[in-house]
Amino acid sequence: MKIFKFGGASIKDALGVKNVAHILQQEGASNCLLVISAMGKMTNAFENIVNSYVNNDQEKLTESIDFTSNFHLKIINNLFAENHVIYQKITVLFGQLVRFLTQNKSRNYDYLYDQIVSYGELLSTTIVSDYLNEIKIYNNWVDVREIIITDAIFRDASVNWGETEKRIKTKIDTSKITLVQGFIAGDLNGNTTTLGREGSDFTAGIFAFCLDAESLTIWKDVLGVLNADPREFKDTQLLEQISYEETIEMAFYGASVIHPKTIKPIQNKKIPLIVRSFKNLNSQGTKVTNEADMYPHIACYIVKKNQVLVSISSLDFSFIVEENISDIFKLFHKYQLKVNLIQNSAISFSVCVDNNLNHFDLFYNEIKNMYKVSFVKNVDLFTVRHFTENSLEGIYKLGTSLVSQINKNTAQIIIQKK
């Protein structure tokens, strides 16, 4: 069985949905499991519903629901006849959403997030499944919340692998096309959970592992795994082949083309990962396997923005020792500040952390009475794998280098832009 994952960009409109059908026809995917994300930017749109609901802003809540409803209606108007059952199905799903908003008593933001945002995937898979059936690409639509089982940690749930593998092997007919939702899952109490942003890749990895898949293909709007993000760097190149180990390294440093959790399950069973373009079916993309050496062997660039460079030292200039570092990391964990670079000396400790959740000020207010703390916000962390002197020159020209750390294969440079 093959696993195909289609992200939001691949089904952002009616033409995208038709292109998914074209890919299935060309690839001859009769025994394929499709993992489908929410359409376009709908995850962001459903996040707006969550925030309007939590803030009790009824006007914005109505606007946000109408926006998501009209977005999906526009797509199905271009795919189906007026009397098609899909209209009723979409009405039912939005009715369920409104009923939840009306009856809910919880104020737990993470719980609300998962129950509401999950409708993006339920809507997208319902539309894609019905369209494929309409053009005689018959498929089984399956509610992934009943087969990928997790704990009850909302927004970043951990998979119960034993229960999940048992259910997948029992409920998935590997002789037919099956269509499931990415990103979302369910706990043993019947609540919807999610696997973290961009978790649809991880969903695909879970199914590939549990079904001993022949391969996992992630369809994207780029040719494959590139040596840099084309939105940030010019003259990017396609990596035709790459190892699991190298892919994990790149994901660890922040490369966004493949979700970090995706790699390990398929590596354990030596399942090839293929990253291809849904826009260019003539390109074979990138193949990720156990033994593959990177080809071509070139410098790879990764940039993480909205970073904070934090320098911490003792108030009395005594040594920073293991006990101090342990306390500091407990605070990083408390405020969900992911550490991306560490540099320490006898009396100071410097780190570069993500501030995507805007929790840094809370962290600072707690730690400033215990240590001497200085920081620089809005810096960029550049990581260059397989660097050369020439590859680093362009990074240094982007601004002021605040910290650089170089080992045999990897250079990391913190830049404060000009």
Side-chain angles (χ1 to χ4, degrees), residues 259-307:
H259 192 279
K261 293 179 182 177
T262 305
I263 305 301
K264 195 58 183 172
I266 59 176
Q267 182 187 20
N268 288 349
K269 290 195 174 180
K270 299 183 179 180
I271 298 168
L273 168 66
I274 304 162
V275 184
R276 291 182 63 185
S277 170
F278 60 77
K279 296 179 177 179
N280 184 353
L281 299 188
N282 293 324
S283 171
Q284 293 306 302
T286 302
K287 189 170 185 178
V288 184
T289 63
N290 238 5
E291 294 82 17
D293 291 326
M294 178 189 288
Y295 181 80
H297 195 279
I298 54 177
C300 297
Y301 301 83
I302 302 155
V303 59
K304 300 195 79 168
K305 297 190 173 184
N306 191 28
Q307 304 288 292

Side-chain angles (χ1 to χ4, degrees), residues 175-189:
S175 67
K176 298 178 180 178
I177 296 177
T178 300
L179 196 146
V180 301
Q181 307 77 36
F183 176 55
I184 69 176
D187 66 17
L188 289 172
N189 295 318

Side-chain angles (χ1 to χ4, degrees), residues 218-339:
I218 296 178
W219 296 90
K220 301 187 74 72
D221 56 358
V222 291
L223 288 178
V225 178
L226 305 178
N227 73 319
D229 187 337
R231 296 169 296 185
E232 302 290 342
F233 297 89
K234 296 180 180 178
D235 304 320
T236 57
Q237 289 183 253
L238 174 69
L239 303 175
E240 296 180 23
Q241 65 179 37
I242 188 171
S243 67
Y244 288 122
E245 183 178 344
E246 183 65 36
T247 307
I248 291 170
E249 289 281 356
M250 291 174 66
F252 172 79
Y253 287 114
S256 60
V257 71
I258 301 169
H259 192 279
K261 293 179 182 177
T262 305
I263 305 301
K264 195 58 183 172
I266 59 176
Q267 182 187 20
N268 288 349
K269 290 195 174 180
K270 299 183 179 180
I271 298 168
L273 168 66
I274 304 162
V275 184
R276 291 182 63 185
S277 170
F278 60 77
K279 296 179 177 179
N280 184 353
L281 299 188
N282 293 324
S283 171
Q284 293 306 302
T286 302
K287 189 170 185 178
V288 184
T289 63
N290 238 5
E291 294 82 17
D293 291 326
M294 178 189 288
Y295 181 80
H297 195 279
I298 54 177
C300 297
Y301 301 83
I302 302 155
V303 59
K304 300 195 79 168
K305 297 190 173 184
N306 191 28
Q307 304 288 292
V308 183
L309 176 61
V310 191
S311 296
I312 303 170
S313 58
S314 299
L315 293 173
D316 59 0
F317 291 100
S318 61
F319 290 160
I320 290 282
V321 294
E322 287 82 358
E323 183 179 351
N324 305 114
I325 294 173
S326 174
D327 291 339
I328 293 166
F329 268 88
K330 286 177 182 176
L331 290 177
F332 286 143
H333 177 73
K334 177 180 178 179
Y335 292 106
Q336 297 173 281
L337 297 171
K338 182 179 181 295
V339 176

Side-chain angles (χ1 to χ4, degrees), residues 66-341:
D66 287 345
F67 175 80
T68 57
S69 176
N70 291 335
F71 176 89
H72 290 94
L73 284 172
K74 181 179 178 181
I75 290 176
I76 63 178
N77 286 342
N78 290 312
L79 293 174
F80 301 94
E82 289 183 12
N83 60 348
H84 196 279
V85 69
I86 189 65
Y87 289 93
Q88 182 181 346
K89 291 182 178 181
I90 299 305
T91 299
V92 167
L93 284 169
F94 274 101
Q96 291 173 356
L97 172 60
V98 171
R99 188 161 56 253
F100 171 80
L101 297 175
T102 303
Q103 298 176 351
N104 166 68
K105 303 297 182 185
S106 173
R107 305 310 296 172
N108 180 331
Y109 182 89
D110 291 345
Y111 166 79
L112 294 171
Y113 182 98
D114 284 3
Q115 311 319 301
I116 295 169
V117 172
S118 57
Y119 278 91
E121 278 70 23
L122 296 173
L123 287 159
S124 66
T125 52
T126 299
I127 292 169
V128 174
S129 176
D130 273 30
Y131 177 73
L132 294 178
N133 282 326
E134 185 75 8
I135 62 170
K136 296 182 172 53
I137 301 178
Y138 297 113
N139 65 91
N140 295 331
W141 183 94
V142 173
D143 189 338
V144 77
R145 297 173 298 178
E146 297 177 359
I147 51 177
I148 293 186
I149 303 303
T150 69
D151 60 18
I153 305 300
F154 299 105
R155 295 190 71 188
D156 193 20
S158 296
V159 175
N160 179 332
W161 283 96
E163 184 65 25
T164 295
E165 186 167 10
K166 181 176 70 175
R167 294 193 184 201
I168 286 177
K169 288 183 174 179
T170 300
K171 297 188 177 184
I172 299 299
D173 185 344
T174 57
S175 67
K176 298 178 180 178
I177 296 177
T178 300
L179 196 146
V180 301
Q181 307 77 36
F183 176 55
I184 69 176
D187 66 17
L188 289 172
N189 295 318
N191 296 309
T192 302
T193 58
T194 60
L195 303 173
R197 285 300 297 266
E198 310 302 329
S200 291
D201 287 0
F202 185 32
T203 303
I206 293 168
F207 277 101
F209 176 88
C210 293
L211 294 171
D212 296 308
E214 175 186 327
S215 62
L216 163 57
T217 302
I218 296 178
W219 296 90
K220 301 187 74 72
D221 56 358
V222 291
L223 288 178
V225 178
L226 305 178
N227 73 319
D229 187 337
R231 296 169 296 185
E232 302 290 342
F233 297 89
K234 296 180 180 178
D235 304 320
T236 57
Q237 289 183 253
L238 174 69
L239 303 175
E240 296 180 23
Q241 65 179 37
I242 188 171
S243 67
Y244 288 122
E245 183 178 344
E246 183 65 36
T247 307
I248 291 170
E249 289 281 356
M250 291 174 66
F252 172 79
Y253 287 114
S256 60
V257 71
I258 301 169
H259 192 279
K261 293 179 182 177
T262 305
I263 305 301
K264 195 58 183 172
I266 59 176
Q267 182 187 20
N268 288 349
K269 290 195 174 180
K270 299 183 179 180
I271 298 168
L273 168 66
I274 304 162
V275 184
R276 291 182 63 185
S277 170
F278 60 77
K279 296 179 177 179
N280 184 353
L281 299 188
N282 293 324
S283 171
Q284 293 306 302
T286 302
K287 189 170 185 178
V288 184
T289 63
N290 238 5
E291 294 82 17
D293 291 326
M294 178 189 288
Y295 181 80
H297 195 279
I298 54 177
C300 297
Y301 301 83
I302 302 155
V303 59
K304 300 195 79 168
K305 297 190 173 184
N306 191 28
Q307 304 288 292
V308 183
L309 176 61
V310 191
S311 296
I312 303 170
S313 58
S314 299
L315 293 173
D316 59 0
F317 291 100
S318 61
F319 290 160
I320 290 282
V321 294
E322 287 82 358
E323 183 179 351
N324 305 114
I325 294 173
S326 174
D327 291 339
I328 293 166
F329 268 88
K330 286 177 182 176
L331 290 177
F332 286 143
H333 177 73
K334 177 180 178 179
Y335 292 106
Q336 297 173 281
L337 297 171
K338 182 179 181 295
V339 176
N340 296 311
L341 180 146

